[in-house]
Amino acid sequence: MRVSERQRYDTVSNRVERAKDQNRSMLEQISSQKRLNRISDDPVGMTQAIRTRDRIGTVEQFQKNTDFAKGFLEKSETVISQIHDSLIRAKELAVSMASDTYNAPAREATAREIKELMNSVIQLGNSTFGNRYVFGGFRTQTPPLSIDGQFLGDDGKIFLQTSRDGFQQINAAARDLFEANPEDRERGHFNMMDSLEMLYNGLNDNNKDSIRSALSELEYQMDKASSFQATLGGMWNAVGMASERLEKEEETARGALSEIEDVDVYKATSDFKRTETILQSTLLASTKLLQPSLLNFLK
Amino acid sequence: MPSLFHILSVGGESLSVTRQGVDTAGHNIANAQVEGYSRQTLSVTQRDPSLVGGHLVGNGAYIQSIRRSHDQWTESQLNNANQALGASDAKRQALKALESVYSPELAAGISDELTNFFNALQELSNNPEDLTVRTNVREAAKNLTQAFHRVDSDLNRHQLDLNEKIGQEAKGVTDRLGAIARLNVKIRELEATPGAMANDLRDQRDGLLREVSTKLDVRYYDDQHGMLLIRGPRNATLVEGGNAVTVHTAGNSRNKGLSDILITDWEGSSTRNMTDALGAGELAGLMDVRDKIIPGLVDRNNEMAVSLVENFNSLHRTGFGLKGFQETSGRNFFAAISDVSRAAQEITLDTTVAQTTDAIAAASSPMAPGDNVLVNELVRLKDARLLGNGNATLHDYYSNYIGNLGTEVVRAQHVHEANNIVAADLKNKRDAVAGVSLDEEAMNLMKWQANFTASSKVITTVDEMLDTVLSLKR
């Protein structure tokens, strides 16, 4: 075959060009540490990367949600256990005051302590997490308990999203805690504040019978507080499990993203070395190829 | 018996033939690196003999013609390959530029902003009454609308760039067609002399033809005067003899004012629209990206914006806000889209929401600042299959359409590589025939030089013989 000068130069420049391009592309991978530098590098991988990146962002947000939920539940739980403690204290006082050993002045003095307990329960019932009242349902901006202990909140159930299709409730119905429901009312039970009020009045009136009935009523209130606490505990466990799941999910997603996007450094480096060798040998061969001509030997 | 003067004239002619040989070799060497130059060869033929004294006596040699080594068949294959190559190259380059709109390194892409927006809504679900959180939702929504705007305006900018490039290409085609017509006339004039071949002008004309064929879909042949006749799309005559048409562009109001390709004949009497008939060549590749691929992406972007706005608003209208808005519902979050085909450009916040974040509805019941029921429903839109006939979430749709663009780029690259290999192979084939080899020319030089020496020897020999004849008289 006849070989013209232009063929030789074209061949050389094409080869050098190709070797340089491969070398450049490997250099880009190494310097950016990314396998995907533009969408055409791997369209399918790119699609997955976009979804995975969204997944990671969402999971991080879910983790924030669970952190918030944990905080909210922990605050509610602390408050409810303090209310429980107040009820226990009230019950202890009621037990001792129900015996015959105390006289009217002693019972009046105790009544004052009960009043203090009542105020502290109202204060506890109006506890806030951040700037929201924890027991008000959706009415988070107004105190859920009035000065005389009436429940002013609503039955709003607050849910937060903790997984792709899972919403987690983070507040229990505080109305059930502070108010006796109609059935219980028929059975002769009262609201929490009314029970304490009964004790207070009994002590002030020096009436052993009403102190005793208040005593049994307080046990009913304590039962409710314990079961309320247990409900919150159950919610906390569910949130805690969700949060552990999310941590694992984030780890998996990050791993997957890195798999798609990031360059395998060892492979990239060795590929870079390989393309470099190709480029150098192409250049070396080119100088040899382009030099000789009959003209060099004509004297 | 021929006279000594006959031998002298044969020797003299031989001298001029060999000189021409060296001249042609020199011309070849000078043009060895010129793109499109075809190697020239001297065609030397023996003269008819004459009958002298009963014998047929040879009359030496003369230059019949100087020809170029040129393979018409390869050349026409190459021109065909160039049309496909031009189209795929233009498409590949345009798409390469286009994919930067969706570069993964860009942190503020639509998909990231969507994630951020829905995360801000999650925060709102945690703290529906918090002013900072509400402001954050509004800002995230603004960023999202800006991401839509950016993609839309980037796509439009690329479309306008391509449009401008199409105008320039059209002008380039007109210039080259005119140059071919002028060369047609010159070649006809020069070749009027019998045996004369306008090799160098033909090389130039072939070069121009190659350039035209990378840009436009053309067919061509030589007429009886050696003038090139070129036909383009829809069989329109582009060059005939010394005349060439004008290829130009004009805005089409039905296509957003983007240019149509028009061909006006040399008399200026008729104009034809070729926009839909460009089969191959760069212009066809550019048109494909400008009129099919980019509008497709713009539509997809609009579709996403419309779906987001409509679904989000229809839920948002059922909800209640804070303070002054806690008892009223029916407000949009995004301003309603008036023109679906401009949705990505139009998408913006509702004016009330933009003014006060209290208007953002998180609650499904009135007077309930802590109510996050509605915002929890809004949050679910992220995973709702709103698009593609209920098959794709917003993110799915976005990543799919980007994936499709990526595949399109890869396909264009592969097509281009394949076309490139075909074209390079044909070019190699052409250069094997038409290209100059310095070794060969070196041998030609040696050959003609030796011949020149020998021819001179003939003349000096005759000279000596004449001296001998003249000395007879002494």
Side-chain angles (χ1 to χ4, degrees), chain A residues 2 4-7 9-10 38 40 51 54 57-58 61 65 68 132 138 140-141 159-161 294, chain B residues 33-34 39 99 115 119 122 126 129 370 372 376 379 382 400 427-428 431-432 435-436 438-440:
Chain A
R2 215 180 149 269
S4 67
E5 297 313 300
R6 274 209 309 276
Q7 275 173 286
Y9 287 110
D10 281 356
R38 54 187 70 75
S40 60
R51 286 189 192 146
D54 166 54
T58 311
Q61 182 58 43
N65 290 1
F68 178 85
R132 59 201 320 210
F138 288 157
T140 54
Q141 299 302 287
F159 282 89
L160 290 184
Q161 195 171 14
L294 185 56
Chain B
Q33 306 300 346
V34 173
R39 163 175 70 106
E99 73 173 336
T115 310
N119 282 351
Q122 292 276 5
N126 292 349
E129 58 285 272
N372 67 353
N376 278 346
V379 156
K382 179 161 182 290
N400 279 344
K427 189 167 178 293
N428 203 13
D431 284 346
V436 177
L438 288 182
D439 294 333
E440 196 178 62

Side-chain angles (χ1 to χ4, degrees), chain A residues 13-259:
Chain A
S13 72
N14 281 344
R15 293 288 165 200
V16 170
E17 208 82 335
R18 190 167 302 176
K20 264 184 170 166
D21 187 52
Q22 286 170 348
N23 190 242
R24 181 202 55 80
S25 140
M26 292 319 299
L27 184 66
E28 186 183 34
Q29 286 197 10
I30 288 184
S31 58
S32 68
Q33 294 286 309
K34 290 260 180 275
R35 203 171 62 82
L36 289 179
N37 287 299
R38 54 187 70 75
I39 52 180
S40 60
D41 285 344
D42 180 0
V44 179
M46 192 66 217
T47 312
Q48 285 171 342
I50 289 173
R51 286 189 192 146
T52 314
R53 216 175 294 153
D54 166 54
R55 190 90 222 103
I56 292 172
T58 311
V59 166
E60 281 175 346
Q61 182 58 43
F62 288 162
Q63 280 171 331
K64 278 190 204 161
N65 290 1
T66 55
D67 287 348
F68 178 85
K70 277 184 187 167
F72 194 89
L73 282 166
E74 274 161 15
K75 176 74 184 186
S76 310
E77 235 185 326
T78 320
V79 169
I80 204 71
S81 82
Q82 282 169 338
I83 289 179
H84 195 244
D85 289 348
S86 303
L87 291 174
I88 289 176
R89 177 67 188 145
K91 193 190 145 194
E92 280 168 5
L93 290 171
V95 167
S96 51
M97 288 301 143
S99 69
D100 294 332
T101 39
Y102 292 96
N103 57 13
R107 287 191 174 127
E108 266 174 43
T110 313
R112 279 197 293 279
E113 190 178 345
I114 295 295
K115 191 74 196 170
E116 291 296 312
L117 283 174
M118 285 165 69
N119 285 337
S120 86
V121 167
I122 292 175
Q123 264 177 26
L124 285 168
N126 288 337
S127 293
T128 55
F129 182 68
N131 61 350
R132 59 201 320 210
Y133 290 99
V134 290
F135 293 128
F138 288 157
R139 300 203 183 150
T140 54
Q141 299 302 287
T142 43
L145 291 180
S146 67
I147 309 168
D148 54 1
Q150 293 308 303
F151 184 70
L152 303 173
D154 62 15
D155 301 322
K157 294 173 179 166
I158 299 174
F159 282 89
L160 290 184
Q161 195 171 14
T162 53
S163 69
R164 200 183 184 90
D165 30 40
F167 283 81
Q168 191 69 48
Q169 194 177 350
I170 62 160
N171 69 332
R175 187 188 293 281
D176 289 349
L177 177 68
F178 293 110
E179 276 181 11
N181 60 33
E183 284 173 26
D184 285 352
R185 211 179 284 276
E186 263 176 39
R187 281 190 219 114
H189 291 300
F190 301 96
N191 295 349
M192 183 186 280
M193 274 307 136
D194 295 342
S195 312
L196 288 167
E197 185 94 31
M198 242 170 76
L199 179 59
Y200 174 73
N201 289 337
L203 288 167
N204 261 344
D205 297 348
N206 196 15
N207 184 340
K208 268 195 294 184
D209 288 340
S210 61
I211 293 174
R212 285 206 182 98
S213 61
L215 184 62
S216 66
E217 182 62 22
L218 278 176
E219 298 207 349
Y220 159 77
Q221 298 295 349
M222 277 165 60
D223 282 351
K224 278 212 300 188
S226 314
S227 81
F228 190 82
Q229 200 171 1
T231 313
L232 291 179
M235 287 176 183
W236 196 95
N237 282 342
V239 170
M241 261 151 64
S243 134
E244 274 174 34
R245 249 199 332 269
L246 288 169
E247 261 171 43
K248 284 208 188 81
E249 195 178 340
E250 192 192 348
E251 202 180 302
T252 323
R254 283 199 187 281
L257 183 64
S258 161
E259 193 97 337

Side-chain angles (χ1 to χ4, degrees), chain B residues 83-154:
Chain B
Q83 290 177 9
L85 184 67
S88 61
D89 190 34
K91 188 170 175 181
R92 180 188 62 106
Q93 279 185 17
L95 284 174
K96 273 278 178 202
L98 199 56
E99 73 173 336
S100 68
V101 177
Y102 302 99
S103 166
E105 279 168 30
L106 227 57
I110 289 181
S111 100
D112 293 332
E113 293 299 350
L114 264 179
T115 310
N116 290 344
F117 176 57
F118 279 103
N119 282 351
L121 285 172
Q122 292 276 5
E123 287 289 340
L124 182 63
S125 171
N126 292 349
N127 290 297
E129 58 285 272
D130 192 314
L131 181 69
T132 333
V133 170
R134 284 176 172 264
T135 311
N136 190 28
V137 168
R138 187 178 64 188
E139 294 310 309
K142 268 190 202 160
N143 290 342
L144 177 60
T145 59
Q146 276 158 11
F148 274 113
H149 297 168
R150 186 188 62 76
V151 170
D152 192 67
S153 68
D154 278 3

Side-chain angles (χ1 to χ4, degrees), chain B residues 174-417:
Chain B
T174 305
D175 291 348
R176 287 177 178 84
L177 291 177
I180 289 176
R182 282 192 295 282
L183 282 170
N184 266 348
V185 175
K186 269 198 201 166
I187 289 170
R188 185 183 174 175
E189 281 168 4
L190 289 173
E191 290 185 356
T193 324
M197 293 290 284
N199 294 324
D200 299 284
L201 296 183
R202 278 175 177 266
D203 279 348
Q204 284 180 26
R205 194 176 63 180
D206 284 348
L208 288 166
L209 180 61
R210 265 199 300 280
E211 286 173 14
V212 169
S213 67
T214 57
K215 295 179 193 303
L216 205 62
D217 181 17
V218 293
R219 286 163 305 289
Y220 59 90
Y221 52 89
D222 275 4
D223 70 4
Q224 72 271 30
H225 303 296
M227 290 161 99
L228 199 58
L229 193 137
I230 307 181
R231 292 195 192 282
R234 293 217 168 100
N235 241 4
T237 307
L238 299 180
V239 175
E240 187 176 8
N243 299 315
V245 298
T246 318
V247 180
H248 56 109
T249 54
N252 179 351
S253 57
R254 274 174 303 170
N255 189 15
K256 297 204 292 181
L258 296 171
S259 303
D260 274 355
I261 300 233
L262 307 173
I263 292 183
T264 302
D265 68 5
W266 45 87
E267 283 157 2
S269 58
S270 79
T271 298
R272 293 170 74 182
N273 192 332
M274 295 295 169
T275 316
D276 302 325
L278 304 164
E282 272 175 41
L283 281 170
L286 295 173
M287 279 289 178
D288 189 28
V289 178
R290 191 195 75 179
D291 287 353
K292 293 206 177 73
I293 294 174
I294 293 185
L297 294 171
V298 170
D299 284 352
R300 289 261 188 143
N301 205 26
N302 284 336
E303 221 175 307
M304 267 182 80
V306 168
S307 166
L308 175 72
V309 167
E310 285 180 352
N311 287 294
F312 203 89
N313 279 349
S314 77
L315 268 179
H316 190 268
R317 280 197 294 269
T318 64
F320 299 85
L322 277 188
K323 297 173 190 159
F325 301 93
Q326 62 178 348
E327 285 177 272
T328 55
S329 60
R331 282 180 306 279
N332 279 337
F333 183 82
F334 293 107
I337 303 277
S338 63
D339 180 359
V340 174
S341 68
R342 288 159 40 87
Q345 213 171 323
E346 273 188 15
I347 185 172
T348 180
L349 293 185
D350 181 74
T351 41
T352 320
V353 171
Q355 274 162 14
T356 164
T357 56
D358 290 341
I360 297 174
S364 63
S365 51
M367 318 273 282
D371 183 351
N372 67 353
V373 171
L374 183 74
V375 73
N376 278 346
E377 281 182 46
L378 289 172
V379 156
R380 278 170 176 271
L381 284 178
K382 179 161 182 290
D383 293 317
R385 304 192 178 280
L386 306 173
L387 287 152
N389 299 323
N391 282 321
T393 66
L394 290 164
H395 265 102
D396 288 345
Y397 195 72
Y398 180 75
S399 56
N400 279 344
Y401 99 67
I402 288 193
N404 284 344
L405 175 63
T407 319
E408 193 87 48
V409 179
V410 171
R411 198 185 307 142
Q413 271 171 340
H414 287 168
V415 170
H416 180 64
E417 273 165 34

